[in-house]
Amino acid sequence: MPGGKVIPAKILAVDVHPKMPRIAILIDDLGYNRQGMESSLALPYEVALAILPETPFALPTALTAKEQGRITLLHAPMENQRELKLGPGGLYANMTEYQLKTTLSKGLDGLPGIQGVNNHMGSLLTTKADSMKWVMEVLKGRSLFFIDSLTSPKSVAKKTAQEYGLKTVSRDVFLDNIRTEKAIDKQFSRLIKRARRHGSALAIGHPYPETMAYLKKRLNHLEADGVRLVRLSDVLEIIPQHTKE
Ligand SMILES: [Zn+2]
Protein backbone atom coordinates (compact mmCIF):
# COMPACT_ATOMS: atom_id res chain seq x y z
CA MET A 1 0.00 0.00 0.00
CA PRO A 2 1.63 3.27 -1.07
CA GLY A 3 1.96 5.77 1.75
CA GLY A 4 1.51 3.07 4.40
CA LYS A 5 5.10 3.36 5.45
CA VAL A 6 6.36 1.76 8.62
CA ILE A 7 7.84 4.18 11.13
CA PRO A 8 11.63 3.73 11.13
CA ALA A 9 12.94 1.75 14.10
CA LYS A 10 15.30 4.56 15.07
CA ILE A 11 12.48 6.93 15.97
CA LEU A 12 10.69 4.23 17.96
CA ALA A 13 13.85 3.51 19.93
CA VAL A 14 14.05 7.13 21.03
CA ASP A 15 10.42 7.11 22.14
CA VAL A 16 10.68 3.86 24.06
CA HIS A 17 13.41 5.08 26.42
CA PRO A 18 12.80 8.77 26.96
CA LYS A 19 14.01 8.64 30.56
CA MET A 20 17.49 8.36 31.94
CA PRO A 21 18.38 4.79 33.02
CA ARG A 22 17.74 4.29 36.74
CA ILE A 23 19.68 2.35 39.35
CA ALA A 24 18.48 1.39 42.82
CA ILE A 25 20.62 0.12 45.68
CA LEU A 26 19.65 -2.01 48.67
CA ILE A 27 21.98 -2.70 51.59
CA ASP A 28 21.29 -6.06 53.29
CA ASP A 29 22.16 -7.59 56.65
CA LEU A 30 21.70 -4.48 58.82
CA GLY A 31 21.25 -5.04 62.55
CA TYR A 32 24.33 -6.76 63.92
CA ASN A 33 26.85 -3.94 64.14
CA ARG A 34 26.90 -0.25 64.90
CA GLN A 35 29.46 0.70 62.29
CA GLY A 36 27.43 -0.91 59.51
CA MET A 37 24.33 0.91 60.70
CA GLU A 38 26.01 4.32 60.87
CA SER A 39 27.78 4.07 57.51
CA SER A 40 24.60 2.85 55.77
CA LEU A 41 22.50 5.65 57.25
CA ALA A 42 25.09 8.14 55.93
CA LEU A 43 24.54 7.05 52.30
CA PRO A 44 22.15 9.05 50.08
CA TYR A 45 18.49 8.72 51.16
CA GLU A 46 17.61 6.86 47.95
CA VAL A 47 19.59 3.84 49.20
CA ALA A 48 17.25 1.36 50.93
CA LEU A 49 18.17 -0.77 53.95
CA ALA A 50 17.16 -4.36 54.77
CA ILE A 51 17.19 -5.15 58.49
CA LEU A 52 17.54 -8.57 60.14
CA PRO A 53 14.84 -9.27 62.77
CA GLU A 54 15.57 -9.25 66.51
CA THR A 55 19.15 -7.99 66.11
CA PRO A 56 20.82 -5.46 68.47
CA PHE A 57 20.64 -2.49 66.06
CA ALA A 58 17.43 -3.39 64.22
CA LEU A 59 15.24 -0.85 65.98
CA PRO A 60 17.60 2.18 65.93
CA THR A 61 18.30 1.50 62.24
CA ALA A 62 14.58 1.36 61.43
CA LEU A 63 13.75 4.48 63.44
CA THR A 64 16.53 6.65 62.04
CA ALA A 65 15.82 5.51 58.49
CA LYS A 66 12.17 6.38 59.00
CA GLU A 67 13.10 9.91 60.13
CA GLN A 68 15.24 10.24 57.00
CA GLY A 69 12.35 9.16 54.77
CA ARG A 70 14.46 6.21 53.68
CA ILE A 71 12.87 2.92 52.55
CA THR A 72 13.47 -0.02 54.89
CA LEU A 73 12.73 -3.72 54.49
CA LEU A 74 12.59 -6.72 56.77
CA HIS A 75 15.49 -8.92 55.68
CA ALA A 76 13.71 -12.21 56.37
CA PRO A 77 16.14 -15.08 57.04
CA MET A 78 15.18 -18.10 54.93
CA GLU A 79 16.59 -21.62 54.91
CA ASN A 80 19.55 -22.14 52.59
CA GLN A 81 21.00 -25.26 51.02
CA ARG A 82 24.27 -25.10 52.92
CA GLU A 83 22.73 -25.29 56.41
CA LEU A 84 24.21 -21.92 57.40
CA LYS A 85 22.73 -20.56 60.62
CA LEU A 86 19.81 -18.17 60.13
CA GLY A 87 19.63 -16.51 63.54
CA PRO A 88 16.38 -15.20 65.06
CA GLY A 89 13.24 -15.05 62.93
CA GLY A 90 14.45 -17.76 60.54
CA LEU A 91 11.91 -19.35 58.18
CA TYR A 92 12.40 -23.04 57.43
CA ALA A 93 11.02 -25.43 54.82
CA ASN A 94 9.70 -27.84 57.47
CA MET A 95 7.58 -25.14 59.17
CA THR A 96 3.81 -25.44 59.05
CA GLU A 97 1.76 -22.61 57.58
CA TYR A 98 0.95 -21.40 61.09
CA GLN A 99 4.59 -21.50 62.27
CA LEU A 100 5.91 -19.71 59.20
CA LYS A 101 3.26 -17.00 59.21
CA THR A 102 3.61 -16.40 62.96
CA THR A 103 7.42 -16.13 62.75
CA LEU A 104 7.29 -13.77 59.77
CA SER A 105 4.59 -11.62 61.38
CA LYS A 106 6.65 -11.31 64.56
CA GLY A 107 9.63 -10.10 62.51
CA LEU A 108 7.45 -7.53 60.73
CA ASP A 109 5.87 -6.31 63.98
CA GLY A 110 9.33 -5.62 65.43
CA LEU A 111 10.28 -3.09 62.75
CA PRO A 112 8.30 0.16 62.58
CA GLY A 113 7.87 1.78 59.18
CA ILE A 114 9.06 -1.01 56.93
CA GLN A 115 7.66 -1.08 53.41
CA GLY A 116 8.83 -4.40 52.05
CA VAL A 117 10.62 -7.69 52.57
CA ASN A 118 13.54 -9.43 50.92
CA ASN A 119 15.12 -12.80 51.60
CA HIS A 120 18.33 -13.29 53.60
CA MET A 121 19.95 -16.44 52.09
CA GLY A 122 16.95 -18.64 51.17
CA SER A 123 18.49 -20.79 48.44
CA LEU A 124 16.28 -23.63 49.71
CA LEU A 125 13.12 -21.90 50.95
CA THR A 126 12.62 -19.67 47.87
CA THR A 127 12.29 -22.82 45.75
CA LYS A 128 9.37 -24.10 47.86
CA ALA A 129 6.02 -23.16 46.34
CA ASP A 130 3.94 -23.56 49.53
CA SER A 131 6.34 -21.63 51.78
CA MET A 132 6.48 -18.79 49.26
CA LYS A 133 2.67 -18.65 49.04
CA TRP A 134 2.45 -18.30 52.82
CA VAL A 135 5.10 -15.55 52.78
CA MET A 136 3.23 -13.61 50.08
CA GLU A 137 -0.12 -14.03 51.87
CA VAL A 138 1.36 -12.30 54.92
CA LEU A 139 2.83 -9.50 52.79
CA LYS A 140 -0.39 -9.06 50.82
CA GLY A 141 -2.32 -8.58 54.05
CA ARG A 142 0.06 -5.77 55.05
CA SER A 143 0.45 -4.18 51.57
CA LEU A 144 4.21 -4.76 51.53
CA PHE A 145 6.37 -5.32 48.45
CA PHE A 146 8.79 -8.21 47.93
CA ILE A 147 12.34 -8.16 46.56
CA ASP A 148 13.76 -11.50 45.42
CA SER A 149 17.44 -11.47 46.42
CA LEU A 150 17.72 -14.37 43.96
CA THR A 151 20.01 -16.68 45.88
CA SER A 152 18.86 -19.67 43.81
CA PRO A 153 18.26 -19.79 40.04
CA LYS A 154 15.25 -21.98 40.88
CA SER A 155 13.59 -19.35 43.08
CA VAL A 156 9.83 -19.09 42.66
CA ALA A 157 9.60 -16.09 45.01
CA LYS A 158 9.14 -13.34 42.42
CA LYS A 159 6.68 -15.41 40.40
CA THR A 160 4.64 -16.13 43.53
CA ALA A 161 4.69 -12.46 44.55
CA GLN A 162 3.34 -11.58 41.10
CA GLU A 163 0.58 -14.16 41.43
CA TYR A 164 -0.54 -12.37 44.60
CA GLY A 165 -0.42 -8.99 42.83
CA LEU A 166 2.44 -7.69 44.97
CA LYS A 167 4.88 -5.12 43.71
CA THR A 168 8.13 -6.97 43.18
CA VAL A 169 11.50 -7.08 41.44
CA SER A 170 14.56 -9.35 41.45
CA ARG A 171 18.09 -8.40 42.32
CA ASP A 172 20.21 -7.88 39.21
CA VAL A 173 23.69 -7.61 40.69
CA PHE A 174 25.43 -8.41 44.00
CA LEU A 175 28.01 -5.68 44.53
CA ASP A 176 30.38 -7.26 47.00
CA ASN A 177 30.65 -11.04 46.81
CA ILE A 178 34.36 -10.17 46.54
CA ARG A 179 35.26 -7.43 48.99
CA THR A 180 37.85 -5.40 47.07
CA GLU A 181 37.42 -1.97 45.48
CA LYS A 182 38.32 -3.41 42.09
CA ALA A 183 35.74 -6.21 42.29
CA ILE A 184 33.01 -3.89 43.60
CA ASP A 185 33.74 -1.42 40.81
CA LYS A 186 33.41 -4.19 38.24
CA GLN A 187 30.00 -5.15 39.65
CA PHE A 188 28.91 -1.51 39.70
CA SER A 189 29.78 -1.27 35.99
CA ARG A 190 27.61 -4.33 35.37
CA LEU A 191 24.77 -2.59 37.19
CA ILE A 192 25.04 0.49 34.99
CA LYS A 193 25.21 -1.62 31.85
CA ARG A 194 22.08 -3.49 32.86
CA ALA A 195 20.23 -0.28 33.65
CA ARG A 196 21.11 1.10 30.21
CA ARG A 197 19.82 -2.05 28.56
CA HIS A 198 16.61 -2.49 30.58
CA GLY A 199 15.81 1.04 31.79
CA SER A 200 16.47 0.19 35.43
CA ALA A 201 18.50 -2.22 37.56
CA LEU A 202 18.80 -3.18 41.22
CA ALA A 203 22.00 -3.92 43.14
CA ILE A 204 22.30 -5.48 46.58
CA GLY A 205 25.32 -4.77 48.76
CA HIS A 206 26.33 -5.29 52.39
CA PRO A 207 27.47 -2.92 55.13
CA TYR A 208 31.13 -3.93 54.71
CA PRO A 209 33.67 -1.08 55.11
CA GLU A 210 34.85 -1.68 51.51
CA THR A 211 31.33 -1.38 50.07
CA MET A 212 30.46 1.66 52.18
CA ALA A 213 33.66 3.50 51.19
CA TYR A 214 33.07 2.69 47.53
CA LEU A 215 29.43 3.82 47.45
CA LYS A 216 30.12 6.98 49.42
CA LYS A 217 32.46 8.12 46.64
CA ARG A 218 30.80 6.56 43.63
CA LEU A 219 27.20 7.70 44.17
CA ASN A 220 28.30 11.32 43.94
CA HIS A 221 29.60 10.82 40.42
CA LEU A 222 26.81 9.27 38.43
CA GLU A 223 26.07 12.13 36.00
CA ALA A 224 29.01 11.18 33.77
CA ASP A 225 27.56 7.68 33.42
CA GLY A 226 24.17 9.01 32.34
CA VAL A 227 22.29 7.07 35.04
CA ARG A 228 20.21 8.24 37.98
CA LEU A 229 20.08 6.84 41.52
CA VAL A 230 16.40 6.34 42.44
CA ARG A 231 14.46 4.92 45.37
CA LEU A 232 13.78 1.21 45.42
CA SER A 233 10.06 1.92 45.04
CA ASP A 234 10.80 3.46 41.63
CA VAL A 235 12.08 0.20 40.14
CA LEU A 236 9.33 -2.12 41.41
CA GLU A 237 7.23 -3.82 38.78
CA ILE A 238 3.50 -4.35 38.94
CA ILE A 239 2.26 -7.08 36.70
CA PRO A 240 -1.38 -6.53 35.84
CA GLN A 241 -3.55 -9.44 36.98
CA HIS A 242 -3.97 -11.89 34.13
CA THR A 243 -7.35 -12.02 32.53
CA LYS A 244 -8.50 -15.33 31.14
CA GLU A 245 -9.33 -15.23 27.44
ZN1 LIG B 1 21.43 -11.28 53.85
Side-chain angles (χ1 to χ4, degrees), residues 28-29 52 75 119-121 206:
D28 274 358
D29 294 356
L52 288 159
H75 195 39
N119 54 295
H120 172 62
M121 302 189 189
H206 299 83

Side-chain angles (χ1 to χ4, degrees), residues 53-81:
E54 296 171 65
T55 49
F57 295 99
L59 194 59
T61 307
L63 291 175
T64 308
K66 199 177 165 197
E67 276 171 29
Q68 293 177 332
R70 188 188 294 275
I71 292 176
T72 52
L73 291 79
L74 170 71
H75 195 39
M78 297 189 189
E79 187 170 2
N80 57 79
Q81 282 165 332

Side-chain angles (χ1 to χ4, degrees), residues 86-99:
L86 294 186
L91 306 175
Y92 294 85
N94 66 1
M95 281 180 158
T96 63
E97 177 176 356
Y98 176 78
Q99 287 170 328

Side-chain angles (χ1 to χ4, degrees), residues 38-51:
E38 288 173 349
S39 52
S40 302
L41 288 166
L43 291 173
Y45 292 162
E46 288 88 351
V47 175
L49 306 182
I51 306 168

